[in-house]
Amino acid sequence: MEFEESGIGEECGVFGCVAAGEWPTQLEVAQVLTLGLVALQHRGQESAGIVTSDGASPPTYTAHKGMGLVSTAFPPEALLKLRYGNLGICHTRYSTTGISELQNCQPFVVDTLHGKIAVAHNGELVNAHALRKKVMRHGVGLSTSSDSELITQLLALTPPMEEVDAPDWVARIKNLMTETPTSYSLLMMFRDVIYAVRDPYGNRPLCIGQLVPISKLHTPGAGEEDTEGWVVSSESCSFQSIGAKYYREVLPGEIVQISRHGVKSLSVVPRPEGDLPAFCIFEYVYFARPDSIFEGQMVYTVRQRCGRQLAIEAPTDADVVSTVPESATPAALGYAQQAGLPYIEVLCKNRYVGRTFIQPNTRLRQLGVAKKFGALTDNFTGKRVVLVDDSIVRGNTISPIIKLLKEAGATEVHIRVASPPIRFPCYMGINIPTKEELIANKPEFQDIAGYIGADSVQYLTVEGLVSAVQEGIASLQEKDNMISTSNKPSRRVGHCTACLTGKYPVELEW
């Protein structure tokens, strides 16, 4: 919840769809794309865009972009315009690079030597400044401040091995991956295929789903003959709402071709020798929707494990466990289970307070958090409360909540945070306040309980967080090894904890 109030946000979400079988398709590709974006709305609310293609040679591209939420950006007439597509990609944006304007809205479409391409990406290039200079030295002008346009132009440039007749998109994508090691998951549409690409460190998520008839959605073993289409998404939470089954993740460094004929892995670009993957650990902590699956495990389950680990590391004498609605609820449930305490609700959230037309005056400002939350006093009066939150970023949100609970009858309020203190900025696609703004870097942090008015405050350790995340992956690998008859080595596991430790997966360029 503290993330929500502090301006910390995920950079964006990408989604793509290819209809299977004969074209023109009966599948409503534009509707699938729109519903996919709605399911990824938590990853960006600034703008949204869709580009569809008929997949012909040469293809006809149709695009629509708009500011605001998906529901605002795509009125019915816009979907009518997009309805003839056999494939398409789309994007919802929360800017970390580039200003908030329609011109920065993705996907970007550019002409290349071999025809148009459309590109959408999630992430932030760690060496964008140097790459912008390189592209401009080739005589290419950049019309926006977005990293995504930069990626599009890099793909449009001919790779070192000059092409004669046909474009070698694998070579071009590999060239891009050589130029910039992280952070990006991107979709590129060319003619009748979509290329799904994840950087070698796997910093941002990307997965593939199989569209099947509704009758086969909840039955095991839907075959290739049942496929109505293929989808690719930043998160698997988008699959249920469109009638798709989770198929698999795009691996770190992998280039996957998705066409009407199926899914084909074209190449895997390796990391430098010895480097581990660096999947963003805060996807698990906060950014992802709890029903999404990463690395074979559901986000909700990981958050529960974080809560259990927190109860082991930071126990306290209390009567009840609760949370600030609602992103930390799984962690609070895990804490309660491990501690053997009842989980109850102490706050009721007014979901519409942010949309009020009433202008704040002095009296309303003094009411502060009471405008947003109502205290469920019958549940906690005269009791000691453990309040679990996902993070304390600046400390200016949790303090009035503690005050509200104590004034409403809680005898003690103990804060337990289901992630370690954030101490460093992110340069890979997460919008985090400056180092100076973070409470963990201020003198007040030495007595943070006194500063925010709590009876005690304790955070989950970095080791505890990594353990909770990787426990499920190790368990899955163990099962795979028992089932598999091959001697194939287990997939290496690693997570980016740079915002917690200051140890970035690659050397940053300025």
Side-chain angles (χ1 to χ4, degrees):
M1 183 270 177
E2 176 83 9
F3 284 113
E4 215 176 291
E5 304 295 326
S6 65
I8 288 188
E10 172 59 73
E11 201 246 357
C12 30
V14 296
F15 190 88
C17 175
V18 180
E22 293 298 314
W23 290 355
T25 182
Q26 298 301 304
L27 183 70
E28 296 278 0
V29 170
Q31 285 191 359
V32 171
L33 291 168
T34 307
L35 288 170
L37 273 192
V38 169
L40 297 177
Q41 189 74 85
H42 59 286
R43 299 185 73 88
Q45 303 86 43
E46 182 184 280
S47 63
I50 292 177
V51 176
T52 59
S53 169
D54 60 3
S57 185
T60 300
Y61 280 16
T62 307
H64 182 82
K65 301 177 183 182
M67 299 299 290
L69 300 177
V70 175
S71 57
T72 307
F74 296 103
E77 58 270 22
L79 292 180
L80 279 174
K81 185 175 72 170
L82 298 164
R83 71 185 183 278
Y84 297 115
N86 293 312
L87 69 162
I89 62 173
C90 53
H91 184 273
T92 185
R93 184 170 190 262
Y94 180 107
S95 65
T96 56
T97 62
I99 54 177
S100 178
E101 288 183 353
L102 190 60
Q103 67 176 23
N104 282 321
C105 181
Q106 299 181 48
F108 286 109
V109 179
V110 299
D111 281 304
T112 74
L113 189 63
H114 303 284
K116 289 182 187 292
I117 60 169
V119 175
H121 117 286
N122 166 215
E124 186 174 348
L125 305 185
V126 292
N127 58 340
H129 184 67
L131 288 174
R132 292 181 82 82
K133 284 186 173 179
K134 181 169 184 172
V135 167
M136 287 175 177
R137 276 198 295 269
H138 276 82
V140 176
L142 295 170
S143 59
T144 76
S145 53
S146 167
D147 280 2
S148 307
E149 187 196 16
L150 185 56
I151 287 173
T152 308
Q153 294 295 356
L154 283 165
L155 288 169
L157 292 172
T158 305
M161 297 297 290
E162 185 72 31
E163 299 157 341
V164 181
D165 298 318
D168 186 346
W169 288 113
V170 174
R172 290 179 183 230
I173 293 166
K174 282 184 174 179
N175 187 52
L176 168 72
M177 295 166 101
T178 304
E179 295 277 5
T180 183
T182 193
S183 155
Y184 48 89
S185 284
L186 68 94
L187 302 180
M188 188 195 94
M189 183 167 65
F190 176 73
R191 290 184 183 165
D192 58 349
V193 300
I194 292 173
Y195 296 94
V197 183
R198 205 167 164 207
D199 77 60
Y201 288 87
N203 186 251
R204 304 259 67 84
L206 197 63
C207 59
I208 299 167
Q210 180 187 14
L211 280 166
V212 296
I214 302 302
S215 59
K216 300 284 181 79
L217 191 57
H218 301 293
T219 57
E224 295 287 321
E225 69 279 1
D226 298 314
T227 305
E228 294 184 342
W230 296 96
V231 288
V232 57
S233 176
S234 291
E235 289 185 43
S236 62
C237 64
S238 60
F239 295 162
Q240 288 187 47
S241 61
I242 57 168
K245 285 190 167 189
Y246 180 87
Y247 186 68
R248 72 171 180 89
E249 257 184 341
V250 177
L251 298 176
E254 189 176 18
I255 304 168
V256 177
Q257 178 183 285
I258 305 171
S259 72
R260 71 170 99 175
H261 307 296
V263 174
K264 184 179 180 184
S265 181
L266 301 179
S267 184
V268 178
V269 175
R271 293 176 298 280
E273 191 69 33
D275 282 8
L276 287 170
F279 179 54
C280 173
I281 207 159
F282 264 84
E283 291 284 356
Y284 284 113
V285 172
Y286 175 76
F287 296 121
R289 227 173 73 171
D291 54 335
S292 285
I293 296 170
F294 297 139
E295 302 174 302
Q297 54 185 347
M298 189 167 278
V299 170
Y300 186 96
T301 307
V302 174
R303 289 177 184 168
Q304 274 196 313
R305 283 203 300 268
C306 287
R308 287 200 292 270
Q309 182 64 28
L310 182 59
I312 293 167
E313 293 182 0
T316 189
D317 292 327
D319 302 305
V320 296
V321 176
S322 192
T323 185
V324 182
E326 56 199 19
S327 57
T329 300
L333 286 166
Y335 190 102
Q337 290 163 6
Q338 184 67 38
L341 294 170
Y343 171 84
I344 53 101
E345 292 183 347
V346 297
L347 294 167
C348 176
K349 187 175 183 178
N350 180 355
R351 300 177 189 281
Y352 304 101
V353 71
R355 298 178 183 275
T356 181
F357 60 88
I358 301 170
Q359 294 302 311
N361 55 30
T362 304
R363 186 170 181 275
L364 287 176
R365 276 194 293 269
Q366 287 170 346
L367 285 170
V369 75
K371 299 198 303 288
K372 187 168 286 188
F373 296 106
L376 301 170
T377 51
D378 285 358
N379 289 350
F380 64 87
T381 298
K383 293 178 181 176
R384 300 166 296 176
V385 178
V386 174
L387 197 67
V388 179
D389 206 352
D390 39 36
S391 183
I392 300 175
V393 181
R394 290 191 179 101
N396 55 4
T397 303
I398 197 73
S399 182
I401 288 172
I402 296 166
K403 184 171 182 285
L404 175 69
L405 293 178
K406 287 192 170 183
E407 288 176 350
T411 56
E412 296 176 11
V413 178
H414 300 272
I415 300 300
R416 293 296 179 265
V417 187
S419 65
I422 299 176
R423 299 179 184 275
F424 301 91
C426 175
Y427 301 103
M428 288 167 287
I430 304 298
N431 184 29
I432 287 180
T434 62
K435 199 171 177 179
E436 293 73 29
E437 290 178 283
L438 298 168
I439 186 68
N441 296 326
K442 291 184 175 181
E444 293 89 343
F445 192 68
Q446 302 310 310
D447 179 26
I448 189 169
Y451 179 67
I452 65 174
D455 290 275
S456 69
V457 176
Q458 284 188 261
Y459 289 78
L460 185 63
T461 62
V462 175
E463 296 75 21
L465 173 60
V466 172
S467 169
V469 167
Q470 296 187 357
E471 178 188 325
I473 303 168
S475 174
L476 285 166
Q477 288 188 340
E478 197 174 306
K479 282 182 189 172
D480 287 346
N481 292 340
M482 288 172 67
I483 296 167
S484 176
T485 54
S486 70
N487 294 318
K488 191 168 75 172
S490 295
R491 176 178 155 187
R492 298 181 77 196
V493 176
H495 295 89
C496 180
T497 58
C499 57
L500 312 173
T501 62
K503 296 176 183 174
Y504 296 90
V506 295
E507 190 174 335
L508 300 172
E509 294 184 19
W510 308 106

